[in-house]
Amino acid sequence: MSRKQKLVVIGNGMAGCRAVEELLALDPDRYEIVIFGGEPEVNYNRIMLSPVLAGETSFDEIVINGADWYAENGIELRSGEEVVGIDPVSRMVATDKGDRCIYDRLLIATGSLPFILPVPGATLDGVIAFRDIADVRRMIATAEGGGRAVVIGGGLLGLEAANGLRTLGMDVTVIHLMETLMERQLDEAAGFLLRRELEGRGIEVLTGASTEEIVGRSAVEGVKLKDGRTLPADLVVMAAGIRPNITLARDAGLACNRGIVVDDFMRTSDPAILAVGECVEHRGQVYGLVAPIWEMCRVVGTTLAEEDGEGYQGSVISTKLKVTGVEVFSAGDFASGDDREDIVFRDAARGVYKRLVISRDRIIGAVLYGDTQDGSWYFNLLRQKENIAESRETLVFGPALAGASQDPNAAVAALPDTSEICGCNGVCKGAIVNAIREKDLTTLDSVRAHTKASASCGSCTELVEKLMVLTLGDTYNPAAVEPICACTDLGHDEVRRLIKAKELKTIPAVMQELEWKTSCGCAKCRPALNYYLVCDWPDEYADDYQSRFVNERVHANIQKDGTYSVVPRMWGGMTSAKELRAIADVVDKFAIPAVKVTGGQRIDMLGIAKEDLPAVWADLGKAGFVSGQAYAKGLRTVKTCVGTDWCRFGTQDSTGLGIRIERFMWGSWTPAKVKVAVSGCPRNCAEATCKDVGIVCVDSGYEIHFAGAAGLDIKGTEKLGTVMAEDAALEHVVALVQMYREQAHYLERIYKWAKRIGYDEIRRQIMDDAERRKALFDRFVFSQKFAQVDPWSERVSGKDKHEFRPMAEIGFSRAAE
Amino acid sequence: MTNWIEIGNLSDIPPRGARCVTTPLGRIAVFRTATDELYAIEDRCPHKGGPLSQGIVHGAAVACPLHNWVFSLETGVALGADEGAVRTFALRREGEKILMDVEMMASVAAD
């Protein structure tokens, strides 16, 4: 067997990795592959940075290939190691770590660099680009302090950045050199609608404005315009365009113009070296959008696998803006001209604008604003150069012909098989339908996995789902995304994301904005929405008790006979003679039929009539008891052992820490119940390693565990990490629980949530990212200000009186009157 | 024959909530929907006897707090896959006041 050839890839971005994927699909064994990436990250979906910035998705969700992908495919990933030179003669690259790496084939996928305006002050601290996850993290961190941001550039990237920063609460101004926003994609009318929408969101837009200087001493303080105005700024985002990153190629003597010149087979002037992505120039064109780049990647795969193909023929491109709630689509050429006619449709009330540019009976350009669902149909007509003379009169109303058909799937059904559905990945209708049929795909995730359709920016998800409905009929429930309940098609993640993004702060607002199908929800969605709103807007949202399950409404546990059980808090499982005496007295006084010691180290009184609850609580309250929230989707018990107080093996004060955690966290609402335990030594008498969160004290500090289960499922915990000090243990536990509060689906226990989003990701956010941990901790502390009110004493003082009394009593005599 | 007696005011019941009236027949749950319609049904789920008055009210239906059976407040019939029904009782509103027909109750009791 001959030695494998060695393929070196410079660039761990979208293009580099996709090209490798394409190669692996054709010929997985031909090469030994090494990928160099300057960013210290795995491969992620750069075009989804905008939703990450707007808080609509997380970094975790935009990772394309995690660490396991590299391992499974035998790829050596050298991230954080930059290639600094290429020697085409000896076929070798040199890295910034002083290493050298020989190649048989080299793939350059260095992407592009943000264009930084050459104005004074451009290098000040606080002036950043919008290019990678580090920029996004920087923006999010700055936005936490509120303040003002200036975005230079009103193109696609700039507007997405502006919207994200505005969503994060900053005052934002966009400076744009031209008179029309996104002038390369939009005409004046659509640009105006877009501007009005953004201004309506509180973003200031200055067009025809030119930056003269960025002012500030060490950090940025403002942006001075050519007209003399100075805009104060705590953050300046440069989004004035991108430039192909060709430095390495040019230094190596490869032919370059604006980009690295490649032929139709993506070969540079040195046939052993290929290039792909934003860094290349093909037939004089440089591309900055993802769809053409995917096409190039396919060709790279073919070339590297030494298979025949037609090569790359260049692309017609279409654009969508990823700003939630703003629908913008543009494709082709829409400049006015003598040989061109326009078909325009406007609906001011709905804010819809559609313009088709026709030349010689063919669509050559399309701009859609407000309603973009027919975008792919027009784009298809444009690319196929279809003659539209006959359908011209109804063309602007889309494929469903002047709205004659109300079937929402009709438009998709009318598309030919060659019509492109997913612009990012170049997947056409036929490919999706075939994959669904041949591979028996029944879920959106499986269609994404097999075809990549809707796997990049996700904006065609709806179309893909319609195709699934058309292909599978009623057996496909578009809700394979698992809608919360029958009242909506949206899943928990989407609803949580949209509550934040659209700042929805009441249940009716959520239902209105997210188009709930029922008037006031159901017993499944209302408690979920109530929790999400309590969690996201702790200071503003008024808890809706009618949307809580009865236990949380009356603060006791309903039993099979309609009576209730009551469990007072015993902090860390410690009690006293006084407390026990008070419990005994309550049991006698109210003739409580059963008393039980629980698994969480406290005492349960069972069989109390609802009417008696306030009086029971009043007596317990006098002895100093508060609710143990044994009924809550919230913090339940913190189980402890006696630790160094008594135990001859104890290494730390486990009881003290348990009580401290319980006192810190009681009252918080969580997606599902949270049980915690603290053991004083590795003998683990408090059974911390099967709890939602567990701490095992060791000589050197505190081992923090999470994601255990000992109920429906049995599962030992995962280790989060070890910290030295008690304060740190508390901070880590609280941050972990807050992360869970913010991300999990309602009723999803920690172990299920953690499995879904990945243990490593949780470790990364809680153990490695101190800034994020602190922010999570602070948000928890803030929410506790509104949560730590004993519900029992509130009700003893008269709150919700109606809950505990009949409205009327009708006797026999009266009934017989 | 009817005999309407006053059992309380609209404001006694929270919207999307319920209160109980105790009667010789057992507890009757009086519901108020989000749109201020009023309904009275037996406060006892035919499945395992759960107190329906304690359930979550949505539209003109209530979910039993014990095992989530859902009943129509208008007809008393279980919705969805479950089968069963609870008795319904006539109510009348006079402005703020809520009245219940005790004659009907008496005839039920005599059954």
Side-chain angles (χ1 to χ4, degrees):
Chain A
M1 223 179 82
S2 62
R3 176 185 81 87
K4 274 193 189 181
Q5 287 186 286
K6 185 154 182 181
L7 170 66
V8 170
V9 181
I10 308 175
N12 184 37
M14 298 180 69
C17 287
R18 173 58 78 92
V20 170
E21 280 183 50
E22 296 283 358
L23 166 65
L24 292 173
L26 295 173
D27 191 347
D29 298 320
R30 180 179 294 260
Y31 294 95
E32 181 192 334
I33 303 172
V34 182
I35 302 179
F36 288 93
E39 277 183 82
E41 305 283 352
V42 291
N43 174 226
Y44 62 90
N45 188 344
R46 204 180 290 278
I47 56 179
M48 288 300 274
L49 287 175
S50 300
V52 172
L53 176 63
E56 295 167 18
T57 188
S58 66
F59 177 68
D60 195 46
E61 287 174 85
I62 68 165
V63 168
I64 302 174
N65 292 310
D68 47 348
W69 176 76
Y70 299 92
E72 276 162 24
N73 290 293
I75 299 167
E76 187 187 346
L77 169 64
R78 291 166 71 168
S79 60
E81 183 165 6
E82 215 166 316
V83 171
V84 292
I86 302 169
D87 178 355
V89 179
S90 41
R91 296 200 176 168
M92 194 160 71
V93 299
T95 77
D96 60 346
K97 301 218 165 121
D99 204 1
R100 285 165 194 284
C101 184
I102 294 197
Y103 63 82
D104 295 301
R105 302 300 288 270
L106 178 68
L107 175 62
I108 304 178
T110 44
S112 57
L113 296 171
F115 174 59
I116 301 293
L117 289 182
V119 292
T123 55
L124 284 173
D125 188 36
V127 180
I128 61 170
F130 182 24
R131 196 62 198 142
D132 56 32
I133 190 68
D135 293 330
V136 170
R137 290 188 180 132
R138 176 77 190 270
M139 285 191 234
I140 291 171
T142 310
E144 269 168 17
R148 296 190 45 89
V150 171
V151 176
I152 301 178
L156 207 58
L157 216 51
L159 296 183
E160 290 179 7
N163 181 64
L165 291 168
R166 179 75 196 128
T167 308
L168 292 172
M170 291 190 87
D171 287 328
V172 180
T173 304
V174 175
I175 302 175
H176 191 50
L177 192 59
M178 311 301 285
E179 291 298 334
T180 303
L181 291 176
M182 286 176 67
E183 78 286 348
R184 284 166 62 194
Q185 291 87 17
L186 298 182
D187 61 9
E188 232 172 88
F192 164 77
L193 288 170
L194 178 60
R195 176 181 186 146
R196 203 178 55 178
E197 168 67 30
L198 295 172
E199 285 173 343
R201 293 175 182 214
I203 297 170
E204 187 183 14
V205 178
L206 303 178
T207 51
S210 178
T211 306
E212 177 158 290
E213 183 184 351
I214 295 169
V215 291
R217 281 180 294 270
S218 62
V220 62
E221 288 165 23
V223 174
K224 188 171 172 203
L225 302 178
K226 288 240 161 78
D227 65 11
R229 274 184 289 179
T230 297
L231 310 167
D234 306 304
L235 178 74
V236 172
V237 179
M238 287 267 193
I242 52 174
R243 294 253 160 118
N245 181 5
I246 58 170
T247 318
L248 278 175
R250 200 181 42 211
D251 291 352
L254 301 176
C256 294
N257 291 325
R258 265 203 302 157
I260 305 166
V261 175
V262 293
D263 64 11
D264 287 358
F265 300 92
M266 309 312 292
R267 291 176 300 213
T268 64
S269 53
D270 176 341
I273 303 178
L274 282 67
V276 68
E278 290 180 337
C279 60
V280 310
E281 178 176 328
H282 172 261
R283 299 188 189 175
Q285 283 289 323
V286 172
Y287 295 97
L289 291 167
V290 72
I293 287 165
W294 285 167
E295 288 178 42
M296 292 181 206
C297 287
R298 218 162 322 172
V299 175
V300 170
T302 322
T303 306
L304 285 174
E306 284 166 34
E307 291 186 2
D308 292 333
E310 284 179 20
Y312 179 59
Q313 307 295 325
S315 305
V316 183
I317 54 174
S318 67
T319 309
K320 277 191 174 184
L321 180 70
K322 288 175 298 301
V323 171
T324 300
V326 184
E327 303 261 308
V328 177
F329 174 92
S330 103
D333 181 354
F334 44 83
S336 299
D338 288 345
D339 56 339
R340 296 164 177 199
E341 301 161 79
D342 283 346
I343 302 177
V344 175
F345 171 85
R346 286 176 201 269
D347 180 343
R350 283 196 302 144
V352 172
Y353 169 81
K354 300 182 185 183
R355 172 161 165 244
L356 304 174
V357 184
I358 313 288
S359 174
R360 296 188 195 92
D361 289 333
R362 279 165 182 86
I363 298 180
I364 60 163
V367 181
L368 309 178
Y369 186 92
D371 175 2
T372 57
Q373 64 167 350
D374 296 330
S376 62
W377 186 66
Y378 294 126
F379 189 46
N380 191 51
L381 294 176
L382 187 155
R383 298 211 310 172
Q384 307 291 333
K385 302 190 173 68
E386 296 254 348
N387 188 310
I388 49 87
E390 291 194 5
S391 58
R392 195 184 154 118
E393 283 180 14
T394 54
L395 196 62
V396 79
F397 302 109
L401 289 188
S405 164
Q406 290 302 309
D407 178 357
N409 296 323
V412 184
L415 293 177
D417 276 354
T418 50
S419 166
E420 185 176 84
I421 300 293
C422 173
C424 294
N425 293 291
V427 190
C428 62
K429 177 180 164 183
I432 297 172
V433 171
N434 286 341
I436 295 170
R437 288 208 183 109
E438 283 163 20
K439 302 201 171 83
D440 289 330
L441 307 180
T442 53
T443 65
L444 182 62
D445 278 347
S446 63
V447 172
R448 278 182 179 156
H450 282 95
T451 66
K452 296 217 181 283
S454 80
S456 290
C457 85
S459 63
C460 62
T461 302
E462 205 181 324
L463 287 175
V464 174
E465 289 206 305
K466 283 179 176 172
L467 281 180
M468 295 181 70
V469 172
L470 286 169
T471 314
L472 298 169
D474 291 342
T475 54
Y476 176 66
N477 170 7
V481 209
E482 284 258 11
I484 291 184
C485 62
C487 303
T488 176
D489 293 331
L490 298 174
H492 287 272
D493 285 329
E494 283 161 296
V495 169
R496 291 210 78 166
R497 202 175 289 160
L498 291 164
I499 284 174
K500 283 296 237 185
K502 294 176 167 245
E503 300 198 7
L504 306 176
K505 296 182 181 174
T506 64
I507 289 179
V510 174
M511 291 181 174
Q512 178 62 33
E513 281 291 312
L514 307 186
E515 300 180 354
W516 240 242
K517 294 187 251 178
T518 50
S519 63
C520 70
C522 71
K524 215 168 163 190
C525 59
R526 282 234 310 275
L529 296 181
N530 190 60
Y531 166 71
Y532 295 152
L533 294 166
V534 165
C535 174
D536 288 344
W537 317 110
D539 51 338
E540 294 175 74
Y541 177 63
D543 200 327
D544 176 24
Y545 269 70
Q546 297 311 133
S547 294
R548 284 192 178 272
F549 182 62
V550 62
N551 286 359
E552 293 185 349
R553 211 169 64 230
V554 303
H555 296 276
N557 295 56
I558 195 166
Q559 302 297 317
K560 59 182 271 189
D561 59 355
T563 64
Y564 288 81
S565 87
V566 161
V567 183
R569 244 181 224 293
M570 281 182 177
W571 306 98
M574 296 297 286
T575 186
S576 64
K578 177 177 163 246
E579 285 187 351
L580 292 171
R581 205 167 278 123
I583 288 179
D585 288 343
V586 165
V587 170
D588 281 345
K589 180 170 167 188
F590 294 94
I592 293 172
V595 182
K596 166 106 182 52
V597 175
T598 73
Q601 302 185 333
R602 40 202 199 171
I603 292 177
D604 191 1
M605 287 161 266
L606 296 120
I608 303 172
K610 193 178 178 192
E611 295 75 31
D612 287 341
L613 287 172
V616 168
W617 294 334
D619 283 7
L620 290 172
K622 277 179 216 148
F625 282 116
V626 296
S627 169
Q629 270 111 358
Y631 45 80
K633 312 286 175 229
L635 179 77
R636 298 275 178 98
T637 63
V638 180
K639 189 171 174 176
T640 67
C641 68
V642 289
T644 41
D645 277 355
W646 298 93
C647 180
R648 63 205 164 100
F649 299 115
T651 62
Q652 311 281 355
D653 178 14
S654 52
T655 326
L657 176 55
I659 293 173
R660 189 172 165 197
I661 291 174
E662 192 169 356
R663 290 210 179 267
F664 202 89
M665 297 182 67
W666 74 269
S668 63
W669 298 104
T670 42
K673 62 183 163 188
V674 172
K675 293 181 171 180
V676 180
V678 185
S679 282
C681 79
R683 287 169 191 75
N684 192 14
C685 293
E687 296 161 344
T689 49
C690 63
K691 294 290 185 280
D692 294 296
V693 182
I695 295 177
V696 177
C697 301
V698 290
D699 268 331
S700 57
Y702 304 83
E703 271 180 27
I704 303 173
H705 294 252
F706 70 112
L712 270 179
D713 294 303
I714 298 184
K715 185 184 165 304
T717 46
E718 302 289 325
K719 197 166 155 188
L720 184 70
T722 304
V723 297
M724 312 276 278
E726 196 184 284
D727 285 351
L730 180 74
E731 180 177 302
H732 283 70
V733 167
V734 166
L736 171 71
V737 170
Q738 179 66 15
M739 184 179 169
Y740 163 65
R741 295 181 75 226
E742 292 176 6
Q743 294 187 358
H745 301 171
Y746 187 63
L747 300 185
E748 185 176 47
R749 290 286 294 270
I750 286 190
Y751 71 100
K752 291 195 171 163
W753 160 74
K755 187 169 172 221
R756 183 164 61 81
I757 72 158
Y759 305 124
D760 282 341
E761 178 61 19
I762 295 173
R763 287 186 195 106
R764 190 182 69 71
Q765 296 200 18
I766 305 296
M767 297 305 300
D768 307 341
D769 190 340
E771 224 171 273
R772 184 184 291 261
R773 178 175 67 239
K774 185 74 186 30
L776 285 164
F777 180 83
D778 290 344
R779 288 203 289 279
F780 184 87
V781 170
F782 178 71
S783 75
Q784 284 296 77
K785 283 206 285 192
F786 311 95
Q788 286 198 326
V789 179
D790 175 36
W792 288 357
S793 61
E794 270 189 311
R795 276 150 193 82
V796 169
S797 336
K799 185 173 179 184
D800 290 343
K801 273 191 296 227
H802 64 84
E803 279 285 1
F804 305 99
R805 278 184 216 154
M807 180 163 64
E809 294 181 30
I810 302 176
F812 255 129
S813 56
R814 228 177 144 194
E817 271 168 17
Chain B
M1 236 175 75
T2 51
N3 178 15
W4 296 98
I5 64 162
E6 190 183 329
I7 55 167
N9 290 321
L10 183 67
S11 57
D12 292 339
I13 313 175
R16 295 171 303 152
R19 294 287 299 275
C20 287
V21 176
T22 57
T23 79
L25 292 180
R27 273 206 313 255
I28 293 177
V30 180
F31 290 88
R32 174 178 172 186
T33 68
T35 47
D36 287 349
E37 284 133 292
L38 293 166
Y39 299 99
I41 65 173
E42 199 180 348
D43 189 26
R44 198 186 140 74
C45 178
H47 173 223
K48 299 268 180 180
L52 296 172
S53 56
Q54 311 298 295
I56 291 180
V57 180
H58 48 95
V62 64
C64 176
L66 293 195
H67 307 95
N68 261 322
W69 282 36
V70 177
F71 293 88
S72 158
L73 297 175
E74 279 170 275
T75 62
V77 175
L79 303 173
D82 301 315
E83 283 180 28
V86 288
R87 282 182 209 284
T88 59
F89 297 91
L91 288 179
R92 211 174 79 198
R93 244 180 91 180
E94 280 177 11
E96 265 291 285
K97 283 182 201 157
I98 308 171
L99 301 117
M100 189 180 262
D101 180 7
V102 284
E103 205 60 42
M104 177 178 167
M105 224 179 307
S107 69
V108 168
D111 277 350

